Amino acid sequence: AGLGAGGALAYTGAIHNPIFYLILLAGGWETFQRFYNPGAIPPNYYRITPAQRGMIGLGYVGLIGSLALAMDVNERFKKPPEVLVREREAELSWDMR
């Protein structure tokens, strides 16, 4: 589903980031390998314990939480362009060089 949605976004030109295309290419290759060369996956790739799965899940939840917190902090310090221009002009007017 993700590869299809990414392919649709790439086809319509909605995404202009070259890193997105690299990730899409890597995902396409991985998907191709899973369907047409299933022996390429290491034998113990899917053999993880429930505790390991829980730790991976907690890691993802922690990552999502920290990114949401960082977005909130960033939102508090954002300034509109007019304020940035005004601050820049104020800095230049006080410069005694």
Side-chain angles (χ1 to χ4, degrees), residues 5-93:
L9 287 171
Y11 180 75
T12 60
I15 304 292
H16 301 288
N17 188 344
I19 295 174
F20 176 81
Y21 292 108
L22 291 174
I23 293 171
L24 186 64
L25 201 65
W29 175 255
E30 186 67 29
T31 301
F32 176 81
Q33 288 296 320
R34 287 178 192 250
F35 280 111
Y36 294 105
N37 191 10
I41 298 173
N44 294 328
Y45 184 75
Y46 291 109
R47 291 185 189 149
I48 60 173
T49 65
Q52 289 172 325
R53 288 183 186 183
M55 292 303 291
I56 291 169
L58 283 175
Y60 277 119
V61 169
L63 176 64
I64 291 168
S66 62
L67 290 174
L69 178 66
M71 285 174 49
D72 183 54
V73 169
N74 185 43
E75 188 68 32
R76 293 180 189 185
F77 290 103
K78 281 195 321 189
K79 298 177 184 177
E82 297 82 15
V83 173
L84 294 173
V85 168
R86 205 173 323 127
E87 288 177 355
R88 175 79 176 156
E89 290 171 354
E91 285 177 9
L92 292 176
S93 67

